[in-house]
Amino acid sequence: QISLFPAAQFYRGALEDAPHLMQAPPQAWHELRCLAPYVFFDIKDGVATEANSTWSNELEAQLALCIIRVLLSAYAKHITAADIGVITPYNGQVRH
């Protein structure tokens, strides 16, 4: 499920999941829409700023951190920080 959008939008359908991922059951937190496998958030009040030839958005970074903290707190028995990935188009935001 998580690969459907990027496969269609960026890889012309060529992106495939590993076989074991096709068998993976949904996780408990997937019941919450905001913690679904693939989510886009529209941060209308966020402002992207440029520094050192890259961009960052403070509000977007804060939201990502808040979601991760909720996830780790509510599902500590099922997930660790090492299990979570955040994708951003800004290198500067990764360092933020």
Side-chain angles (χ1 to χ4, degrees):
Q1 180 183 7
I2 195 170
S3 66
L4 292 177
F5 176 78
Q9 293 298 312
F10 308 116
Y11 299 99
R12 297 183 183 159
L15 186 64
E16 295 183 13
D17 293 329
H20 74 280
L21 293 178
M22 299 300 288
Q23 314 301 323
Q27 299 297 323
W29 54 85
H30 292 163
E31 295 174 6
L32 300 173
R33 187 169 178 241
C34 66
L35 297 177
Y38 205 90
V39 181
F40 285 98
F41 291 94
D42 183 8
I43 312 300
K44 291 182 181 184
D45 295 335
V47 177
T49 57
E50 185 178 11
N52 300 322
S53 301
T54 186
W55 293 85
S56 68
N57 185 313
E58 173 76 23
L59 199 54
E60 287 179 356
Q62 287 179 9
L63 176 61
L65 184 58
C66 180
I67 292 169
I68 291 167
R69 286 180 175 155
V70 167
L71 185 60
L72 291 173
S73 174
Y75 300 98
K77 292 182 181 179
H78 306 284
I79 194 167
T80 68
D83 298 318
I84 299 171
V86 177
I87 300 169
T88 175
Y90 304 138
N91 287 333
Q93 196 146 303
V94 172
R95 292 186 294 268
H96 197 73

